[in-house]
Structures are given as structure tokens and as C-alpha cells.
């Protein structure tokens, strides 16, 4: 059952009567006052049980080189907050990823074991699981409310009226304590937005849209100050109290955070040291083994010290490893003796609940039509590009400054013989500057945007084509504005071919070139693993196209193997189009017989004699389309892949 406030039920919104609407509004207002006081969402109780989860890393000879998880058993229950704790490198994130079915695939990894959800195989629960990742990624210029509203538009069933969706979003804002920052932009490194804790709670809110029963959160307090960490954990505790099954990994929580946990899984070097209720049960378990937590000490700190290997000397290392091995054995024996039933102190009511639980229903997101997806994504892309004042200001300043600098250097070129070289130099500079500005802007932002899009696509929110088309349409006017501004200042300053038609063609050429460079930036951003890598790869690739841009080297003089490069160089076609546009019909003064008297002779020298502006722009447009197409293919192919869980029978013996 999708957890919605009653008044938000689509069925209740279908009748348009005014009276009913008023009643609805009154009900909604009354409900808003109650937010946070009672449980507004009904969540299907979900129990996850895992047995013998083993994860190993294989070497080149397919032998086990490292055991990441070793025979981990346990259970996460509805209405409880389970924390996975352990020292750094103990396997917390690996384990959480395995439980959520989102361990990145690797040929060197093997996972075995079984995970059941309400007694059913894990795979049938695809859309019921929410995974809040460590990094919070958003479109920086959208406000908190806009971010959530868009997610609601893309994920909630189409039968919902927009009023119902708005209420749903309002309720989420209340539940997650985001009301005060609802109309603040999310922000990024350039523009200050909401705080780190608010971002984390927004991530949780976005994950809750599809009304999942289970919420996984990977180190949700990392990078937050104590106050924000407390608020985030309080949010997760509330979700558990509302009936969600909440599982989070956490490094070393403060005492006040530890007190919020219901259950605990303690891992050390991938082995299970304890699984069961937090607090008294856990303290008693370790006390029985001779490790009593001092009265006023934070149990989380005590456990962390107890299960960490001390590498300060070989003796301490051996001693702590032996102690931990003893704790792992003791827990395994105790669990086996009690047939795991003591883990959570299963009581009768819970046993009864287990029987009542139905197989999970499929809640696959029903996407709207292509046009609807396009419209929504266009709005988002438009808001992102037009509101990003800092980036637009920098781009505008760069276009203005470089136009003024080059305009001053090539100030009012005449028609002497030496002006021929100056003109060629200026046209090459214009082509390179336009391409570089468009490329760097794109590679700076696209790798991060790609991750957001991949996450949204993994949820099935929309298809790739409406996203890409919407992005292109929204960004086109802004992307065109800067090269046009550059050209409009540079052209008269340098006194290039002074007719309106030639100026218009010049503007058109730099605009198409900017689109092609931006498209190339998208491809680079789609393959590079990070922004840093994209910023290294993009300009290097562009340098090759600059070298074969028609000015520095004549491709006929280069080895045959390189002769195709000018055909695909966006700099070459832009330079060629700019040259034809500039030199055709231009006369030069000359005194010697070997002087070039008109532009056609110059074009012959450049091997552009038979070329036309239209032909070169068409080639440039083809290159732009090629890069767009390649981006599409790469995004389609490079979906995140997750490691499959193999059955327990196929288990790899971690000892061998
Ligand atoms: N794909 C992989 N290839 C190689 N080693 C891996 C892989 N995944 C995990 N590991 C190793 O497994 C161990 C556990 O990693 P994991 O990230 O799960 O630990 P963690 O407890 O979450 O650590 P931290 O608290 O520092 O984030 C680490 O030693 C890590 O280097």
C-alpha cells in the first residue's frame, strides 16, 4: 500500500465539486497542523533476513585474496532502526550495498548467501527500497520544494491530481523538518544554499517519494556537525517509528545518536562480532564475555575500541586480532545454539505479524508520456541554466574580456599583405576561444549531473531522450548568447569583412561551433569518472583538434594515419567557414607580383578554394550531432551495474 495522507488519495480528488474542494482544503489544513504529531503514512511492514552473506575479492588466478564479509547473518525489522557499526574498512558500506542489492559489479568480487524480504526472494522488491547515498547530489539552482515537487511529478502515478501531489510534498517537507528552508535553493560550492544536514534530509525526502518500506542510508552523518548529525539521525529514527525498516551504516556515533538505535550489527574485518538489540542486550552480551562497558562511557566508543585492531606493534596487533577472533567465535556459537532466535528477542506479536505479511506488491513508477517527461525536464533544465547567475556572469565576463583583448590586439586590420596573416590568426583564435569556452563549461558540470541522472534513471523516473532533448533546448539560448556577444564585440573592433551578411554568418558559425564543442564536452563528461578527469581529458582532446584546425599544419603533410582528424575537427570546420566568410570577395593591396591580391587566392593557399560557408557549417552541425549521439549511446550503456548475489550453494570457501 502506498503511504499517502487520506486526503491526498487520488480517488478523493477526482470529483471537481467546489464544496468537496473546500472540505478537502479544510482537511488538509487540519492535517498540516498535525504533521509530526501522528503517523500520516502507512507503510507495509517489511522484514529483511539475511543468511551466510559472504563477499570475497578474487585475485587474477580466481583465488580469494581478501574476505570482505564472512558468513554474516541477521535481520532488520519494520519499525526499528538498525545501525551497522565497525571500524574503518570493516565492511559496513560493502554490507549495506549487498543488502540493498547495489554493490557495484566487479569481475573480482563474489557474493554468496541469501536475502529474503518478508520471506520472499529479494529481487521482487525493486521499488520498495530506498537508498540514501553518502553524497547528496542535486540540481543546485532548484529550491528544496522544487526539487521534491519535480521528483513527485516524475515518480507519483499520473492519476494523482497536482493538488494531491503538492500536499504530498508539503507533508514530506514537514516530516523531514525542511519547512523553513523549503524555498531556499539547494546551492553548491559556488552558491551558498541549504546546510549539509538539510541536504541529507532532502536526499531522504527524495527517496521517500516512492513510499518505500525499507530505507538504507550509507554513513548519513559523515561530514555533518554534531547538531546536524543528530537531526538527521532523529529523522531516521522517526521513519522507523512510522513503520519503515531503517538500516544505516555509521562509523563512530556520539552517545546521543547511539541511543536512537534499536538494533546493532557490529563488524570487524568483515566478520560478525554482534547482531541484535542495541543497549542492554549488547552490553550484557559483551559483559558475559568479560568485556564490561564502564558505566558512563558511550557504548559505541567502547565497542569501537573493543573490535579495532591495534597496529601500533606486532604484539598488540596479534593480541587484538586474537581477542576479536574470540568475540566472533563466541557470537557465532551463541547464535547457533539459540538458532538465531535471540538476535532480536522475537516476541509473539512479531511472529504473528510475520504470518500476516503479504508478498510485496510491485510499485513500479508509471512514467508519463514522452512530452510530459520532456516538459518537466525542460522546466528543470531551464531553471538550472537561467538561475545560475554566478556561472553566467563568469561566462559573460570571459566572453567580454577575451573579445576586448583580441579586439585590441587585432585592432582595425587594414588590407595590407601582412593583414592576411593577422586575419587568419584572428579567425583561428576566435574558433579556439569559442570551442574552449563551451567545452570547459560543459565538462565542469556534466559529470556530476550525469550521476544525478543515472540515479533518477535507476528509479525509472524518465527516459534518456526527453532528458537530453530538454537539456539541449533549455541550454541553447544561453550557450548561444556568449559566442554571439564575443563576436559582436570582436567583429567591429578588428574590422572584419564589414557587411551585415558576413557578420551574421560569422555569428552563426561561432554559435554552431559552440554547440559542437558543448556536445563534445557532454561525451567527455559521460565517459570520465569524475569532473577532474573530464577537465583533464576534454582540453587534451581539443588540443588535437586545434593542431588539425587548418592553421597550424596542413594535413596533407602529415602521416596518412592522421589525415582523418581534420575531417572530424570542429575547429577546422569552424576555421574553414570563418575563412571563406571573411576572405571571399576581399581585396588586398600589393606591390609585388607574388602578392595575394584577393581573398580567393588566400583561400586557395589554405586549400579552402572550393569550400562554401554553408558546406562547412553543415559539416560542423554533423560533428555536433555525432557528439550528441555518442553521449546518448554512452549514457545508455554506462548504467551502474550491480553485483549479483549468488546462491549459498555456490559459496566460495573464504579459507581457500
Ligand atoms: N571493489 C573492491 N575492490 C577492492 N577492495 C574493496 C572493494 N570493495 C571494498 N573493498 C575493501 O573492503 C574493505 C571494506 O570496505 P568498506 O568500504 O565496506 O568498509 P567500511 O567499513 O565502510 O569503511 P569506512 O568506514 O572507512 O567507509 C576495505 O578494505 C576496502 O578497501
Amino acid at each position: 500500500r502506498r503511504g499517502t495522507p487520506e486526503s491526498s488519495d487520488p480517488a478523493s480528488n477526482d470529483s471537481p465539486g467546489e464544496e468537496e474542494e473546500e472540505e478537502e482544503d479544510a482537511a488538509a489544513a487540519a492535517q498540516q497542523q498535525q504533521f509530526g504529531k501522528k503517523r500520516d503514512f502507512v507503510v507495509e511492514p517489511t522484514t529483511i533476513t539475511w543468511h551466510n552473506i559472504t563477499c570475497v575479492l578474487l585475485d587474477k588466478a580466481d583465488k580469494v585474496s581478501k574476505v570482505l564479509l564472512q558468513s554474516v547473518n541477521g535481520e532488520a525489522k519494520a519499525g526499528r532502526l538498525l545501525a551497522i557499526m565497525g571500524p574503518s574498512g570493516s565492511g559496513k558500506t560493502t554490507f549495506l550495498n549487498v543488502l540493498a542489492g547495489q554493490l557495484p559489479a566487479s569481475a573480482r568480487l563474489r557474493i554468496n548467501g541469501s536475502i529474503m524480504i518478508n520471506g520472499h526472494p529479494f529481487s521482487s522488491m525493486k521499488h520498495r527500497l530506498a537508498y540514501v547515498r553518502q553524497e547528496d547530489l542535486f540540481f543546485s539552482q532548484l529550491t528544496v520544494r522544487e526539487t521534491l515537487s519535480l521528483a513527485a511529478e516524475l515518480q507519483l502515478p499520473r492519476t494523482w491530481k497536482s493538488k494531491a501531489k503538492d500536499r504530498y510534498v508539503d507533508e514530506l517537507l514537514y516530516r523531514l523538518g525542511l519547512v523553513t528552508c523549503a524555498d531556499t535553493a539547494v546551492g553548491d560550492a559556488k552558491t551558498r544554499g541549504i546546510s549539509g544536514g538539510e541536504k541529507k534530509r532532502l536526499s531522504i525526502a527524495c527517496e521517500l517519494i516512492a513510499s518505500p518500506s525499507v530505507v538504507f542510508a550509507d554513513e548519513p552523518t559523515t561530514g555533518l556537525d554534531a547538531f546536524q548529525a543528530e537531526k538527521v539521525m532523529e529523522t531516521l529514527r522517526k521513519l522507523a517509528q512510522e513503520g519503515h525498516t531503517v538500516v544505516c551504516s555509521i562509523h563512530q556515533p556520539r552517545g546521543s545518536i547511539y541511543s536512537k538505535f534499536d538494533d546493532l550489527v557490529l563488524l570487524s574485518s568483515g566478520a560478525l562480532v554482534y547482531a541484535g538489540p542495541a543497549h542492554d542486550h549488547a552490553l550484557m552480551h559483551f559483559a558475559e564475555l568479560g568485556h564490561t562497558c564502564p558505566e558512563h562511557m558511550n557504548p559505541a566508543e567502547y565497542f569501537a575500541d573493543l573490535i579495532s585492531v591495534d597496529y601500533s606493534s606486532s604484539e598488540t596487533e596479534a593480541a587484538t586480532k586474537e581477542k576479536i577472533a574470540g568475540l566472533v567465535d563466541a557470537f557465532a556459537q551463541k547464535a547457533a545454539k539459540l538458532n538465531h532466535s535471540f538476535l532480536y528477542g522475537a516476541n509473539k506479536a512479531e511472529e504473528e505479524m510475520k504470518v500476516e505479511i503479504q508478498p510485496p506488491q510491485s510499485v513500479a513508477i508509471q512514467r508519463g508520456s514522452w512530452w510530459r517527461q520532456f516538459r518537466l525536464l525542460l522546466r528543470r533544465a531551464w531553471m538550472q541554466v537561467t538561475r545560475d547567475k554566478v556561472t553566467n556572469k563568469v561566462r559573460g565576463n570571459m566572453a567580454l574580456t577575451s573579445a576586448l583583448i583580441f579586439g585590441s590586439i587585432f585592432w582595425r586590420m587594414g588590407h595590407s599583405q601582412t593583414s592576411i596573416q593577422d586575419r587568419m590568426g584572428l579567425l583561428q583564435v576566435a574558433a579556439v576561444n569559442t570551442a574552449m569556452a563551451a567545452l570547459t563549461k560543459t565538462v565542469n558540470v556534466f559529470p556530476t549531473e550525469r550521476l544525478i541522472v543515472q540515479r533518477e534513471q535507476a528509479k525509472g523516473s524518465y527516459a534518456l531522450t526527453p532528458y537530453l532533448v530538454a537539456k539541449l533546448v533549455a541550454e541553447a539560448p544561453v550557450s548561444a548568447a556568449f559566442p554571439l556577444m564575443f563576436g559582436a564585440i570582436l567583429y567591429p573592433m578588428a574590422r572584419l569583412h564589414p557587411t551585415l551578411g558576413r557578420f551574421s554568418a560569422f555569428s552563426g558559425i561561432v554559435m554552431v561551433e559552440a554547440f559542437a564543442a558543448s556536445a563534445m564536452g557532454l561525451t567527455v563528461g559521460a565517459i570520465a569518472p569524475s569532473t577532474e578527469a573530464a577537465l583533464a581529458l576534454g582540453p587534451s582532446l581539443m588540443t588535437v583538434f586545434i593542431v588539425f584546425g587548418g592553421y597550424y599544419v596542413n594535413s596533407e603533410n602529415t602521416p596518412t594515419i592522421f589525415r582523418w582528424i581534420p575531417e572530424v575537427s570542429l575547429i577546422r570546420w569552424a576555421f574553414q567557414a570563418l575563412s571563406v566568410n571573411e576572405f571571399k570577395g576581399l581585396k588586398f593591396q600589393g606591390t609585388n607580383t607574388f602578392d595575394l591580391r584577393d581573398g580567393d587566392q588566400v583561400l586557395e593557399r589554405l586549400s579552402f578554394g572550393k569550400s562554401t560557408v554553408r558546406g562547412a557549417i553543415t559539416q560542423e552541425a554533423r560533428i555536433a550531432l555525432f557528439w550528441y549521439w555518442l553521449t546518448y549511446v554512452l549514457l545508455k550503456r554506462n548504467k551502474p551495474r550491480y553485483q549479483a548475489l549468488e546462491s549459498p550453494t555456490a559459496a566460495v570457501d573464504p579459507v581457500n
Side-chain angles (χ1 to χ4, degrees):
R1 211 156 21 128
R2 186 178 283 285
T4 58
E6 269 173 47
S7 61
S8 305
D9 192 319
S12 69
N13 278 283
D14 278 345
S15 46
E18 248 180 51
E19 250 179 40
E20 255 176 63
E21 283 215 351
E22 271 171 24
E23 270 171 31
E24 262 183 41
D25 288 344
Q31 195 172 31
Q32 281 201 352
Q33 286 183 346
Q34 288 183 344
F35 286 143
K37 290 184 192 156
K38 76 176 183 69
R39 221 176 93 175
D40 298 306
F41 279 61
V42 182
V43 182
E44 184 182 342
T46 300
T47 299
I48 309 179
T49 321
W50 53 92
H51 286 296
N52 277 331
I53 299 291
T54 297
C55 178
V56 296
L57 200 62
L58 304 177
D59 60 14
K60 283 183 189 140
D62 264 2
K63 289 253 181 300
V64 174
S65 70
K66 188 171 181 183
V67 180
L68 308 186
L69 295 170
Q70 196 180 331
S71 303
V72 182
N73 295 300
E75 201 172 46
K77 288 194 160 193
R80 296 180 75 91
L81 170 57
L82 166 72
I84 303 168
M85 280 174 35
S88 184
S90 57
K92 301 183 290 295
T93 302
T94 307
F95 182 51
L96 193 79
N97 283 339
V98 170
L99 286 186
Q102 300 204 5
L103 186 70
S106 160
R108 292 178 57 207
L109 279 177
R110 291 282 179 283
I111 33 173
N112 307 96
S114 86
I115 302 176
M116 304 293 273
I117 296 192
N118 289 348
H120 299 271
F122 175 78
S123 56
S124 57
M125 285 288 290
K126 209 171 170 209
H127 297 291
R128 289 254 153 185
L129 308 179
Y131 194 160
V132 182
R133 290 168 188 283
Q134 239 182 74
E135 328 153 80
D136 306 304
L137 301 175
F138 299 104
F139 281 80
S140 59
Q141 302 303 318
L142 271 65
T143 65
V144 168
R145 187 189 298 279
E146 285 165 348
T147 305
L148 268 180
S149 296
L150 195 102
E153 289 287 351
L154 288 167
Q155 293 183 38
L156 292 176
R158 271 171 294 159
T159 45
W160 282 44
K161 292 256 164 130
S162 45
K163 239 181 168 187
K165 284 179 193 160
D166 289 347
R167 281 197 198 126
Y168 190 77
V169 167
D170 279 344
E171 175 148 0
L172 276 175
L173 290 170
Y174 273 92
R175 283 172 81 202
L176 282 268
L178 292 168
V179 176
T180 50
C181 63
D183 298 311
T184 309
V186 174
D188 56 15
K190 289 175 291 174
T191 26
R192 177 85 182 92
I194 57 174
S195 71
E198 286 163 342
K199 260 190 198 158
K200 182 57 74 189
R201 281 181 276 132
L202 179 58
S203 288
I204 299 172
C206 286
E207 291 300 326
L208 289 180
I209 292 232
S211 198
S213 302
V214 186
V215 179
F216 293 105
D218 186 15
E219 312 231 0
T221 55
T222 300
L224 302 182
D225 61 41
F227 175 74
Q228 293 290 352
E230 186 91 24
K231 281 190 88 169
V232 167
M233 289 313 299
E234 183 55 29
T235 304
L236 290 178
R237 193 180 66 93
K238 267 195 199 153
L239 289 180
Q241 285 172 348
E242 286 167 1
H244 293 272
T245 308
V246 185
V247 184
C248 71
S249 65
I250 194 156
H251 187 62
Q252 205 168 321
R254 294 183 341 152
S256 55
I257 289 181
Y258 181 82
S259 67
K260 300 185 199 307
F261 301 154
D262 298 302
D263 298 318
L264 193 63
V265 165
L266 278 181
L267 292 174
S268 179
S269 306
L272 191 60
V273 185
Y274 175 79
H279 314 298
D280 293 351
H281 216 289
L283 292 171
M284 263 164 52
H285 169 75
F286 287 106
E288 277 167 17
L289 299 173
H291 303 284
T292 307
C293 175
E295 206 167 319
H296 296 295
M297 192 172 179
N298 169 11
E301 267 172 42
Y302 180 74
F303 294 148
D305 290 346
L306 191 64
I307 62 174
S308 294
V309 178
D310 181 353
Y311 289 101
S312 51
S313 70
S314 51
E315 290 83 31
T316 55
E317 184 183 336
T320 46
K321 277 186 172 167
E322 198 182 323
K323 175 186 72 185
I324 294 166
L327 292 174
V328 171
D329 277 350
F331 182 75
Q333 280 171 21
K334 191 170 179 179
K337 216 185 280 172
L338 296 165
N339 199 18
H340 301 287
S341 63
F342 83 103
L343 292 182
Y344 297 93
N347 59 34
K348 202 162 175 281
E350 283 167 336
E351 286 301 333
E352 278 165 7
M353 189 172 84
K354 255 189 211 166
V355 178
E356 283 170 20
I357 291 168
Q358 296 302 310
Q361 296 155 15
S362 166
V363 284
I365 291 165
Q366 298 169 307
R367 279 184 195 161
S369 66
W370 193 98
W371 278 109
R372 195 180 126 72
Q373 293 171 40
F374 171 74
R375 257 193 2 257
L376 291 168
L377 296 168
L378 181 67
R379 205 175 74 206
R380 174 169 79 178
W382 182 251
M383 290 196 285
Q384 178 68 19
V385 75
T386 51
R387 288 183 188 172
D388 192 355
K389 302 240 164 30
V390 177
T391 307
N392 291 339
K393 211 166 149 187
V394 170
R395 288 179 82 187
N397 284 342
M398 269 178 64
L400 182 76
T401 317
S402 47
L404 289 176
I405 291 174
F406 296 131
S408 311
I409 296 171
F410 296 92
W411 178 251
R412 299 197 161 193
M413 290 181 293
H415 292 86
S416 65
Q417 286 298 302
T418 48
S419 79
I420 297 174
Q421 192 195 353
D422 292 348
R423 272 165 211 277
M424 288 195 293
L426 174 60
L427 297 179
Q428 179 69 202
V429 160
V432 171
N433 188 68
T434 305
M436 275 302 194
L439 177 88
T440 32
K441 193 268 156 183
T442 312
V443 293
N444 236 323
V445 293
F446 192 60
T448 310
E449 186 173 322
R450 183 196 74 197
L451 294 178
I452 304 175
V453 172
Q454 279 177 337
R455 284 184 190 179
E456 290 174 334
Q457 287 219 299
K459 286 186 206 151
S461 304
Y462 51 82
L464 200 50
T465 22
Y467 158 71
L468 270 180
V469 179
K471 182 175 171 62
L472 301 186
V473 173
E475 291 184 358
V478 180
S479 302
F482 299 109
L484 291 181
M485 188 169 142
F486 172 75
I489 298 168
L490 179 68
Y491 206 89
M493 281 182 81
R495 210 180 261 170
L496 288 166
H497 204 130
T499 67
L500 195 61
R502 297 297 174 106
F503 170 68
S504 308
F506 179 95
S507 304
I509 296 162
V510 287
M511 203 175 76
V512 176
E513 190 204 6
F515 290 155
S518 181
M520 182 179 140
L522 291 180
T523 306
V524 171
I527 41 174
S530 64
T531 305
E532 289 72 24
L535 280 169
L537 179 63
S540 317
L541 195 58
M542 189 61 90
T543 308
V544 178
F545 293 144
I546 292 172
V547 171
F548 287 90
Y551 183 68
Y552 297 109
V553 67
N554 191 323
S555 63
E556 284 163 25
N557 300 331
T558 60
T560 330
I561 191 170
F562 296 128
R563 294 209 187 146
W564 60 274
I565 301 177
E567 296 302 313
V568 297
S569 165
L570 58 94
I571 302 283
R572 175 257 168 114
W573 291 108
F575 177 61
Q576 187 162 327
L578 290 172
S579 300
V580 175
N581 184 52
E582 175 63 19
F583 287 108
K584 263 247 150 50
L586 214 59
K587 299 283 178 225
F588 294 100
Q589 301 140 1
T591 44
N592 303 311
T593 46
F594 49 81
D595 282 343
L596 301 171
R597 302 289 171 134
D598 64 40
D600 289 303
Q601 287 174 313
V602 179
L603 292 174
E604 282 299 335
R605 280 271 167 95
L606 287 166
S607 314
F608 297 161
K610 293 193 187 72
S611 183
T612 60
V613 173
R614 185 186 289 255
I617 290 189
T618 310
Q619 278 305 111
E620 190 79 331
R622 281 192 190 133
I623 290 174
L625 286 178
F626 166 77
W627 289 118
Y628 286 135
W629 169 80
L630 195 56
T631 306
Y632 172 83
V633 171
L634 287 169
L635 290 179
K636 194 97 190 152
R637 283 189 47 173
N638 293 353
K639 280 187 193 153
R641 281 179 232 286
Y642 301 118
Q643 193 72 26
L645 181 70
E646 292 172 28
S647 68
T649 47
V652 181
D653 183 356
V655 182
N656 291 314

